[in-house]
Amino acid sequence: MQEPQSFEVLSISPPPPELRTPEQHTPEPRNPEEAFDLFKLSSSPVRVSGTRVGVNASFTDAGSAIVCTVDKSLFCIGFWEKIKSSGRICLPRRSGKTYNLIQLLLFFSMAPEKSHLDAPDSAIEELGRSAEQIRQMDVATKCRLKRTLLFKDSLLKEKHRAFFDEHFMKHPVIHISFSLCKGTPAGVFLASVCDAIATAANNWLKQYPLINGIKVENTNRYLQRLQDTLNDHDSLQRKFEISADKHGRLPTLLFACLSEFVGECVGKYILLLDEYDVLFIHTHLKSWSDEEKEEVQSSLKGLIQAMFKDNRYLRKGLLVGVFEVPLAELGSGANNIVDFPMVPFKNVTGNGSIVSATYKHSGKGLDALTDSFWFNTKEVEGLLEKSAIRFPQIAEHRDEVMAVIKNWYNGYHFGWFRGKYNP
């Protein structure tokens, strides 16, 4: 599908799994010299830590010495350098979208972000604090030290220390997940959109007293406006006055109040939207009346416009999802979004393989952005080594296991990188 010409397009991703073909696997080498080049270790920065390999690991497990995690922290500098204003990344499920979005939140956010931190307070002892010192700390200090642990031995801190020191926990961030937005009546669906924004708003209301640098002047005015809008939403819910016409403008109004509060009281912020595509897919699939569907579509376009076009408080924004909803359907608010359509570069040679030593990974920019999703060959090998600690039979049959993994999961192209693994 052709994108409007006013949008900047960067091709850096694979097709969805169902569209893959055998030719998209790393091709067989034509001669021994090419084979040697293809299977040498690449210059891609790799760090695999922990000993227990499992499924559904979150970014907050990165600070654990037990849970096995693959370091994807370079995504933070890739995001900052390549997404100048607002960007969109769409990838298949289980490619690391939510993982990386939470990583951005916990790296950049100046708020404590306590709801995303599961580590016990005793973990802070690793930073040289005694149990008595930890006991006397306030909640915000404990949260910031736990986040320091998450990035303590990261590739980002090691390779880009100046960037790390400049941006770590220095920016206001609004994070909204639309994963739970659903509802058969149109009004219920729009109410669920309001719920997602309200969750982010309430999170900010809980955290803003703990943030240093809040602008006290006029804070109460913006705070009261946000709380009044939240109360309007709650009131409609309690009275069961849920309809498309009553909730049509509420998502945009609620976000505008949240945006104004954060922007005026703290400063320009980073906006992170998870599963943005759920909103538009749900709308398309429902058999609502033409009037209801038009009301919902108008509401969503108004919301996107408030987020990405008429937003003087926005520093950077990122939308992630599975499906590439045509930007034209997002309305004029999408004009400022740089789209990253997930298709491979054409005619990628051996020099473009993630397992090729001839492509020098820069460790930042587009390389950092694209190599932060899925796993490359070196990362899979690292995970196998960690698995072999608990399951020695893996080490005994390493080559066979690696061949099976490659057959099942290898074959994705991502920009200049090919041979990516998606579990």
Side-chain angles (χ1 to χ4, degrees):
M1 181 175 297
Q2 179 153 7
E3 303 291 350
Q5 297 192 3
S6 57
F7 301 134
E8 179 183 349
V9 177
L10 300 177
S11 297
I12 58 170
S13 72
E18 63 270 17
L19 298 182
R20 289 167 49 189
T21 64
E23 289 74 20
Q24 290 170 318
H25 286 269
T26 302
E28 295 297 325
R30 292 184 294 255
N31 53 61
E33 183 178 345
E34 183 178 290
F36 178 73
D37 179 60
L38 281 176
F39 290 96
K40 280 192 296 185
L41 293 180
S42 76
S43 60
S44 172
V46 171
R47 180 165 294 161
V48 181
S49 59
T51 56
R52 180 170 296 177
V53 178
V55 295
N56 296 325
S58 66
F59 174 70
T60 53
D61 293 321
S64 170
I66 299 176
V67 179
C68 189
T69 56
V70 177
D71 190 323
K72 298 291 186 179
S73 60
L74 293 178
F75 181 68
C76 297
I77 192 170
F79 160 80
W80 191 263
E81 291 182 342
K82 295 307 298 181
I83 299 180
K84 303 302 181 185
S85 176
S86 301
R88 178 176 71 164
I89 295 178
C90 298
L91 285 169
R93 297 191 183 281
R94 309 196 67 79
S95 55
K97 299 184 299 296
T98 297
Y99 181 99
N100 275 325
L101 217 61
I102 296 300
Q103 180 176 219
L104 290 180
L105 172 68
L106 294 178
F107 176 76
F108 286 108
S109 179
M110 62 196 307
E113 305 299 346
K114 182 178 184 296
S115 61
H116 293 282
L117 300 172
D118 302 323
D121 291 349
S122 58
I124 302 174
E125 294 179 10
E126 187 178 333
L127 296 175
R129 272 63 167 185
S130 67
E132 178 60 24
Q133 287 175 319
I134 296 171
R135 189 183 66 81
Q136 296 178 4
M137 292 176 184
D138 57 34
V139 172
T141 301
K142 290 178 182 178
C143 289
R144 292 187 175 96
L145 288 174
K146 290 177 183 179
R147 288 165 63 188
T148 300
L149 273 175
L150 291 176
F151 291 93
K152 181 170 69 73
D153 298 316
S154 66
L155 288 168
L156 180 66
K157 186 174 183 179
E158 174 188 311
K159 295 182 175 297
H160 304 286
R161 185 57 185 262
F163 173 87
F164 188 95
D165 292 341
E166 181 182 357
H167 296 286
F168 186 44
M169 297 191 287
K170 301 289 177 61
H171 301 272
V173 180
I174 295 178
H175 171 258
I176 303 174
S177 173
F178 293 113
S179 61
L180 299 179
C181 292
K182 57 185 178 181
T184 299
V188 172
F189 169 68
L190 286 176
S192 71
V193 177
C194 291
D195 287 340
I197 301 170
T199 298
N202 283 316
N203 187 48
W204 259 98
L205 291 178
K206 291 177 183 176
Q207 297 194 98
Y208 92 91
L210 305 175
I211 300 175
N212 294 326
I214 288 286
K215 302 172 186 175
V216 179
E217 183 180 358
N218 295 327
T219 294
N220 290 338
R221 177 159 61 96
Y222 299 116
L223 176 62
Q224 189 62 52
R225 189 176 300 169
L226 176 58
Q227 289 177 329
D228 288 345
T229 309
L230 285 169
N231 291 337
D232 290 341
H233 170 54
D234 292 339
S235 177
L236 290 176
Q237 300 277 62
R238 288 194 303 271
K239 296 177 181 177
F240 297 99
E241 294 180 4
I242 301 175
S243 62
D245 61 328
K246 288 183 179 296
H247 280 82
R249 294 181 61 253
L250 196 52
T252 300
L253 179 60
L254 188 53
F255 176 79
C257 291
L258 171 60
S259 176
E260 182 183 52
F261 171 70
V262 176
E264 291 289 344
C265 299
V266 187
K268 287 190 173 183
Y269 58 79
I270 297 170
L271 177 60
L272 305 175
L273 301 186
D274 199 5
E275 299 196 42
Y276 86 97
D277 53 331
V278 169
L279 304 178
F280 299 91
I281 294 169
H282 191 85
T283 302
H284 278 290
L285 293 178
K286 289 302 175 183
S287 55
W288 296 325
S289 67
D290 291 343
E291 183 179 346
E292 286 180 314
K293 184 160 288 192
E294 183 178 349
E295 183 70 42
V296 171
Q297 290 173 337
S298 176
S299 177
L300 295 180
K301 287 181 179 180
L303 178 60
I304 295 297
Q305 180 163 327
M307 289 176 164
F308 297 104
K309 184 178 182 181
D310 303 330
N311 190 350
R312 61 192 179 94
Y313 304 114
L314 182 66
R315 182 179 296 277
K316 289 180 182 289
L318 178 62
L319 307 84
V320 301
V322 174
F323 297 100
E324 288 186 3
V325 178
L327 288 173
E329 291 195 22
L330 306 187
S332 62
N335 287 346
N336 296 330
I337 297 175
V338 176
D339 193 25
F340 293 77
M342 297 303 148
V343 294
F345 286 154
K346 301 290 185 181
N347 303 320
V348 179
T349 65
N351 290 343
S353 173
I354 193 63
V355 294
S356 170
T358 59
Y359 181 78
K360 185 171 178 57
H361 193 297
S362 68
K364 58 182 181 178
L366 192 60
D367 287 348
L369 191 71
T370 57
D371 199 26
S372 294
F373 294 93
W374 299 307
F375 300 124
N376 61 46
T377 299
K378 289 172 64 177
E379 291 167 341
V380 174
E381 290 174 343
L383 289 169
L384 272 183
E385 291 177 7
K386 297 294 184 180
S387 300
I389 297 174
R390 297 185 64 208
F391 305 101
Q393 59 269 37
I394 291 178
E396 297 172 8
H397 304 282
R398 181 186 177 284
D399 292 342
E400 293 89 337
V401 172
M402 192 67 188
V404 170
I405 293 174
K406 182 175 181 179
N407 184 53
W408 284 359
Y409 303 119
N410 179 244
Y412 287 85
H413 292 232
F414 203 19
W416 293 115
F417 304 128
R418 64 181 180 180
K420 299 284 283 187
Y421 294 73
N422 180 20

